[in-house]
């Protein structure tokens, strides 16, 4: 009799067990993803720290200058173009919004504060991610899959010192400079649309900027630029450096995926960290 | 007993579920050319990567001059690594740098030498590896052979005491393969470094190796000289050596020494003791002069050409040939006595002087540089033996009977 009862109950138990397993699948999936994410975060932090420690070793200056030229100087033109049109759009939009309240004299304030506090650092970081960050990932990734990084190790050349450190330092130097360029050209863009095209008074435009923009606004914008520089350079270099460990692909495809991931993760982290930094600074 | 330069003690390495090395024990001695042979994917490169420190063993110990690498301090590890250089299978050249920059790179980054001294050393290496004209080109603009030579030049630029060559001849044609092996042997003699090679080129690699390590079924099953390997009775011989040698026959037209001996024994075992056979030995004298004046490619090209010409001529009458060492080819004429062999040789010499010399000359002439000329001779000797006679003594007799059969003079056209 006991055996009969067991055989009758076992399908029920099995069904419950399977239901239980099915219910836990999403949680275990999320758990695994979180653990992986935390692992990557930790690894990226160590990666960054090791790269920063190696900044002041010998023979680093020429490499850093070369990266400054690539990340900084060569990005200037695109930053100027984007900032000019961003400033012009801001000028038009704020003029038409403020004129409803008769406050068109505040166009200069709105354009400059928007640019200096938010749009300057964020858009500069996104533009550099697209231009230089993706190139960093692809270049390092190709060096990884073609064993060039292993070749460096066999020559007793530290890949972190040779490849990563100059890129991180060059980013930390060039992001604030390019952000400043973005802010300045953006304000000129606002002048072009607000003053030259829509007829605002030039003196009012510049006076409102001078009266309302404080040193803290500028320094907060530059702090954000530095934070974004660290995020973008670390994410892009990390993705390229470990492209051979990707589980979703191998070889050239892995480099392609790593580049996509680097750009997406950098952009998301720029926006998330922008909120976090702003909350602390404001 | 001499302490090995590098020693593996019970080294095990797994990649995921796959065990590549299983409790491997091996010894590599200073000043020798040691070659690791085995089938593709057997884990030969993994051994090299363990030595240079790119991979760490899961179990076991690697000793460097008797000291475990894992127990060394960082400075000590760095100084031991400073003695080594690594030539990658796929070259791992820096594709954004020119040939010159690739070769200069290790010196620029790891030494405090002045620019002038670096320039002098790089130019010397470029000249030695026949790359002077490609100095400003990028790796992607070079042929596979040239890329190999750039990798070789880069590996040797720091004057290392230990050089690890991972498949240095992969993807090369037979002439180029022998040229690269000959270059490695020449540099090894010249600079006295310890060379550790991973290679498939059986038997060509035997000519330059002092020691062979055979990797089979995740373990080193043989360590010894190439001669000892020929007598080694193990499934490795059937599964690995034979398959690789069969490929070699297709490529060069000549049999390996082991195959040559086996064929010889098979032929002689069927013969009456009083019957005779003949042995011919051909050599290119002044091979070193050709290497010095025209380079390794020309020397190997000329030797390859001679080998093919001999095989083509003699195989038609049931003879078979092997390369005896870097500049000699031995041919066995199993059905000919000395009188018949002399006649066959006379025909060959006549044909060789008419056509063969032209073929070899055209190979050498391709590599001659302006203002340079080189003269070299081809020698041949014959001897007769009987089934009871040791083949080596017949070869030695043939060698002592050698006389000049052709003289070639190559000079750059004005």
């Amino acid at each position: 009799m006991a055996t009969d009862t067991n055989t009758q109950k076992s399908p029920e138990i099995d069904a419950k067990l399977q239901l239980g397993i099915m219910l836990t699948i999403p949680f275990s999936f999320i758990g695994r993803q979180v653990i992986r994410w935390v692992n990557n975060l930790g690894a990226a932090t160590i990666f960054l720290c090791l790269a920063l420690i190696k900044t002041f070793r010998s023979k680093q200056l020429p490499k850093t200058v070369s990266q400054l030229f690539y990340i900084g100087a060569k990005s200037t033109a695109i930053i100027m173009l984007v900032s000019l049109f961003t400033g012009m759009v801001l000028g038009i939009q704020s003029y038409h919004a403020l004129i409803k309240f008769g406050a068109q004299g505040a166009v200069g304030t709105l354009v400059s504060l928007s640019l200096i506090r938010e749009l300057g650092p964020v858009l500069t970081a996104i533009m550099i991610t697209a231009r230089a960050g993706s190139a960093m990932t692809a270049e390092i990734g190709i060096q990884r899959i073609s064993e060039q990084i292993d070749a460096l190790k066999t020559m007793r050349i530290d890949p972190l010192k040779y490849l990563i450190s100059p890129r991180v330092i060059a980013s930390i130097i060039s992001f604030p400079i390019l952000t400043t360029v973005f802010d300045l050209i953006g304000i000129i863009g606002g002048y072009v649309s607000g003053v030259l095209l829509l007829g605002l008074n030039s003196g009012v435009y510049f006076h409102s900027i001078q009266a309302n923009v404080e040193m803290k606004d500028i320094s907060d914008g530059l702090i954000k630029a530095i934070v974004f520089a660290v995020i973008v350079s670390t994410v892009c270099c990390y993705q390229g450096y470990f492209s051979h460990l990707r589980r979703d692909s191998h070889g050239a495809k892995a480099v392609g995926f790593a580049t996509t991931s680097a750009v997406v993760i950098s952009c998301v982290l720029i926006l998330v960290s922008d909120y976090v930094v702003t909350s602390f600074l404001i | 007993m001499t302490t090995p330069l590098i020693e593996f003690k019970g080294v095990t390495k797994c990649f995921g579920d796959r065990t590549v090395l299983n409790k491997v024990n091996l010894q590599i001695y200073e000043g020798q050319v040691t070659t690791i042979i085995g089938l593709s994917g057997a884990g030969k490169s993994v051994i090299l990567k363990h030595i240079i420190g790119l991979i760490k063993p899961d179990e076991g110990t690697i000793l460097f001059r008797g000291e475990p690498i894992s127990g060394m301090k960082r400075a000590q590890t760095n100084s031991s690594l400073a003695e080594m250089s690594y030539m990658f299978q796929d070259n791992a050249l820096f594709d954004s740098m020119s040939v010159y920059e690739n070769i200069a790179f290790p010196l620029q980054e790891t030494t405090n030498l002045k620019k002038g001294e670096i320039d002098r050393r790089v130019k010397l290496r470029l000249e030695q590896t026949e790359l002077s004209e490609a100095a400003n080109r990028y790796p992607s603009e070079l042929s596979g052979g040239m890329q190999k030579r750039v990798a070789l030049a880069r590996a040797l630029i720091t004057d290392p005491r230990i050089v690890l060559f991972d498949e240095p001849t992969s993807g090369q044609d037979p002439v180029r393969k022998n040229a690269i092996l000959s270059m490695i042997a020449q540099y090894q003699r010249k600079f006295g470094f310890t060379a550790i090679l991973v290679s498939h080129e059986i038997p060509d690699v035997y000519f330059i190796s002092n020691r062979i390590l055979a990797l089979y079924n995740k373990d080193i099953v043989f360590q010894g000289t190439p001669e000892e390997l020929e007598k080694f009775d193990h499934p490795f011989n059937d599964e690995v050596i034979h398959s690789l040698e069969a490929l070699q026959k297709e490529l060069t037209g000549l049999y390996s020494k082991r195959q040559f001996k086996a064929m010889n024994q098979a032929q002689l075992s069927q013969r009456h003791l009083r019957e005779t056979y003949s042995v011919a030995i051909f050599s290119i004298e002044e091979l070193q002069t050709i290497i010095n004046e025209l380079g390794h490619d020309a020397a190997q090209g000329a030797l390859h050409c001679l080998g093919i010409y001999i095989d083509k001529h003699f195989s038609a009458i049931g003879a078979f040939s092997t390369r005896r060492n870097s500049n000699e080819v031995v041919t066995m004429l199993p059905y000919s006595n000395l009188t018949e062999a002399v006649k066959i040789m006379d025909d060959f010499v006549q044909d060789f002087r008419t056509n063969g010399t032209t073929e070899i000359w055209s190979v050498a002439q391709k590599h001659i540089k302006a203002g340079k000329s080189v003269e070299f001779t081809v020698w041949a000797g014959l001897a007769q033996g009987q089934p009871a006679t040791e083949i080596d003594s017949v070869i030695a007799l043939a060698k002592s009977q050698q006389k000049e059969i052709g003289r070639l003079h190559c000079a750059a056209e004005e």
Side-chain angles (χ1 to χ4, degrees):
Chain A
M1 283 296 285
T3 316
D4 286 344
T5 320
N6 279 342
T7 46
Q8 278 171 2
K9 276 187 178 175
S10 64
E12 274 178 42
I13 293 167
D14 280 352
K16 280 181 183 173
L17 203 66
Q18 274 182 359
L19 185 69
I21 289 168
M22 277 179 70
L23 285 173
T24 59
I25 284 173
F27 295 104
S28 60
F29 175 76
I30 292 167
R32 274 197 300 274
Q33 292 301 317
V34 170
I35 290 169
R36 234 178 80 190
W37 189 79
V38 172
N39 273 339
N40 275 329
L41 191 68
T45 310
I46 295 167
F47 181 78
L48 171 69
C49 292
L50 288 174
L52 287 175
I53 288 167
K54 290 162 207 277
T55 304
F56 302 104
R57 301 265 175 92
S58 60
K59 301 182 179 180
Q60 285 294 82
L61 191 62
K63 287 172 220 128
T64 309
V65 170
S66 144
Q67 286 303 322
L68 260 175
F69 175 72
Y70 182 72
I71 299 168
K74 283 192 138 186
S75 302
T76 313
I78 189 74
I79 291 294
M80 287 170 78
L81 188 72
V82 170
S83 59
L84 181 73
F85 284 98
T86 308
M88 285 172 75
V89 168
L90 269 178
I92 293 174
Q93 290 284 14
S94 51
Y95 178 85
H96 286 292
L98 292 170
I99 203 163
K100 290 177 184 169
F101 312 101
Q104 62 270 40
V107 166
T109 309
L110 191 64
V111 168
S112 57
L113 285 180
S114 308
L115 283 169
I116 292 168
R117 284 184 178 177
E118 282 303 325
L119 292 176
V122 170
L123 289 181
T124 303
I126 289 173
M127 286 313 297
I128 303 177
T129 303
R131 208 199 76 84
S134 55
M136 275 185 218
T137 312
E139 193 180 335
I140 296 170
I142 288 169
Q143 289 188 317
R144 168 61 80 186
I145 61 161
S146 60
E147 292 184 308
Q148 291 176 43
I149 291 180
D150 285 342
L152 288 174
K153 285 183 189 167
T154 65
M155 293 173 199
R156 289 180 303 122
I157 299 165
D158 186 343
L160 286 179
K161 178 191 154 195
Y162 181 75
L163 294 171
I164 312 302
S165 183
R167 285 172 168 83
V168 174
I169 295 303
S171 300
I172 291 173
I173 296 170
S174 54
F175 270 56
I177 296 171
L178 288 172
T179 301
T180 312
V181 170
F182 192 103
D183 294 346
L184 280 173
I185 304 293
I187 289 168
I188 292 169
Y191 176 84
V192 170
S193 60
V195 177
L196 300 183
L197 300 178
L198 298 168
L200 260 179
N201 185 290
S202 162
V204 172
Y205 182 80
F206 283 115
H207 176 73
S208 67
I209 296 172
Q210 194 189 358
N212 294 303
V213 176
E214 292 173 12
M215 197 58 210
K216 189 177 180 306
D217 299 320
I218 297 168
S219 63
D220 285 358
L222 295 183
I223 288 169
K224 283 184 185 178
I226 292 170
V227 172
F228 298 157
V230 171
I231 290 171
V232 170
S233 57
T234 308
V235 168
C236 293
C237 291
Y238 180 83
Q239 288 290 331
Y241 197 82
F242 294 107
S243 55
H244 64 307
L245 297 179
R246 289 186 76 88
R247 290 174 186 184
D248 52 359
S249 52
H250 295 280
K253 211 170 182 182
V255 177
F257 282 2
T259 310
T260 309
S261 300
V263 173
V264 172
I265 296 170
S266 295
C267 290
V268 170
L269 286 180
I270 286 167
L271 297 173
V272 171
S273 63
D274 184 35
Y275 171 76
V276 176
V277 175
T278 306
S279 321
F280 278 106
L281 293 176
I282 218 151
Chain B
M1 195 172 163
T2 327
T3 310
L5 177 69
I6 293 155
E7 187 172 9
F8 278 38
K9 278 188 174 173
V11 169
T12 298
K13 183 70 192 175
C14 306
F15 293 106
D17 299 336
R18 200 167 69 93
T19 304
V20 179
L21 303 177
N22 187 22
K23 300 197 187 305
V24 165
N25 295 300
L26 63 86
Q27 291 85 36
I28 291 163
Y29 293 95
E30 195 150 15
Q32 291 189 341
V33 179
T34 304
T35 303
I36 304 166
I37 56 172
L39 288 173
S40 283
K44 304 184 293 293
S45 302
V46 175
I47 292 180
L48 287 196
K49 286 181 178 172
H50 273 96
I51 295 172
I52 195 95
L54 286 175
I55 297 177
K56 302 264 181 289
D58 294 339
E59 275 176 41
T61 319
I62 300 170
L63 307 169
F64 184 76
R65 294 189 208 283
E67 250 189 273
I69 291 179
S70 55
M72 285 181 183
K73 287 181 181 165
R74 181 177 285 191
Q76 214 179 343
T77 314
N78 275 342
S79 74
S80 61
L81 285 177
E83 294 183 38
M84 296 186 203
S85 202
Y86 193 100
M87 186 177 158
F88 283 81
Q89 187 174 354
D90 296 324
N91 308 321
L93 296 173
F94 302 113
D95 42 21
S96 57
M97 294 183 192
S98 67
V99 166
Y100 180 97
E101 288 164 342
N102 261 288
I103 300 170
F105 184 72
L107 292 180
Q108 287 165 344
E109 288 296 321
T110 60
T111 68
N112 290 319
L113 290 173
K114 290 190 175 154
K115 213 176 168 185
E117 176 59 16
I118 293 176
D119 186 58
R120 190 189 66 76
R121 290 191 188 190
V122 173
K123 282 185 175 156
L124 181 69
R125 280 283 182 272
L126 282 168
E127 205 174 303
Q128 286 169 337
T129 47
E130 301 167 47
L131 285 165
S132 302
E133 284 165 19
N136 295 318
R137 284 157 71 186
Y138 286 92
S140 58
E141 297 170 338
L142 304 177
S143 67
M146 284 172 100
Q147 288 184 11
K148 280 276 172 215
R149 278 183 280 157
V150 178
L152 183 63
R154 189 178 70 179
L156 297 177
I157 193 71
T158 50
D159 297 331
R161 297 186 65 184
I162 305 157
V163 189
L164 314 178
F165 299 94
D166 192 353
E167 302 268 10
T169 54
S170 64
Q172 306 292 310
D173 60 65
V175 172
R176 184 72 70 179
K177 275 175 187 171
N178 280 301
I180 290 172
L181 292 177
S182 154
M183 205 187 298
I184 291 171
Q186 190 198 12
Y187 286 144
Q188 197 274 334
R189 282 195 301 272
K190 195 170 171 185
F191 303 116
F193 57 75
T194 305
I196 306 166
L197 275 92
V198 157
S199 185
H200 279 121
E201 305 314 323
I202 296 170
D204 293 354
V205 82
Y206 294 167
F207 298 125
I208 67 160
S209 306
N210 304 102
R211 231 161 151 264
I212 303 283
L213 306 184
L215 182 65
Y216 179 74
N217 259 348
K218 304 161 195 168
D219 195 9
I220 293 288
V221 292
F222 171 84
Q223 297 189 60
T225 62
E227 291 75 27
E228 285 166 353
L229 180 64
E230 285 179 17
K231 293 166 198 155
F232 180 55
D233 185 22
H234 190 275
F236 175 83
N237 255 339
D238 300 322
E239 288 178 34
V240 182
I241 307 271
H242 291 191
S243 61
L244 294 173
E245 280 177 346
L247 181 67
Q248 192 64 22
K249 166 75 178 128
E250 279 172 28
L251 294 172
T252 63
L254 298 182
Y255 290 97
S256 72
K257 267 202 233 177
R258 197 196 53 75
Q259 286 172 320
F260 179 84
K261 276 193 175 174
M263 287 175 78
N264 183 41
Q265 275 162 8
Q267 288 283 349
L268 298 184
S269 63
Q270 296 166 9
R271 312 287 296 278
H272 192 274
L273 281 176
R274 283 185 207 153
E275 281 184 281
T276 54
Y277 65 87
S278 298
V279 167
I281 181 161
F282 302 88
S283 58
I284 293 183
E285 297 299 313
E286 305 101 2
L287 194 72
Q288 197 56 45
T289 316
I290 309 176
I291 291 172
N292 295 341
E293 295 297 322
L294 309 181
H296 291 273
D297 285 0
Q300 293 305 321
L303 196 67
H304 180 73
C305 203
L306 176 68
I308 288 179
Y309 205 79
I310 291 167
D311 186 61
K312 202 165 69 182
H313 199 280
F314 287 92
S315 63
I317 50 163
F320 46 91
S321 309
T322 184
R323 200 173 146 192
R324 188 164 175 251
N325 58 37
S326 60
N327 70 332
E328 284 178 351
V329 175
V330 177
T331 302
M332 170 81 173
L333 297 102
Y335 308 106
S336 313
N337 59 29
L338 192 61
T339 322
E340 288 163 346
V342 168
K343 276 185 191 166
I344 296 164
M345 181 63 92
D346 285 345
D347 287 346
F348 171 76
V349 169
Q350 208 174 355
D351 185 28
F352 181 72
R353 280 181 181 157
T354 319
N355 304 314
T357 48
T358 320
E359 281 180 31
I360 298 177
W361 181 85
S362 65
V363 170
Q365 192 71 18
K366 274 187 218 162
H367 299 269
I368 198 106
K369 287 176 190 159
K372 292 210 169 184
S373 69
V374 64
E375 192 170 86
F376 58 95
T377 48
V378 180
W379 291 66
L382 275 172
Q384 182 177 280
Q386 285 182 322
T389 330
E390 270 291 315
I391 179 82
D392 288 337
S393 63
V394 185
I395 292 173
L397 184 63
K399 176 88 181 151
S400 67
Q401 312 269 327
Q402 271 191 322
K403 55 187 179 187
E404 188 181 309
I405 60 163
R407 179 177 287 271
L408 287 95
H409 179 82
C410 297
E413 286 169 13
E414 295 300 323

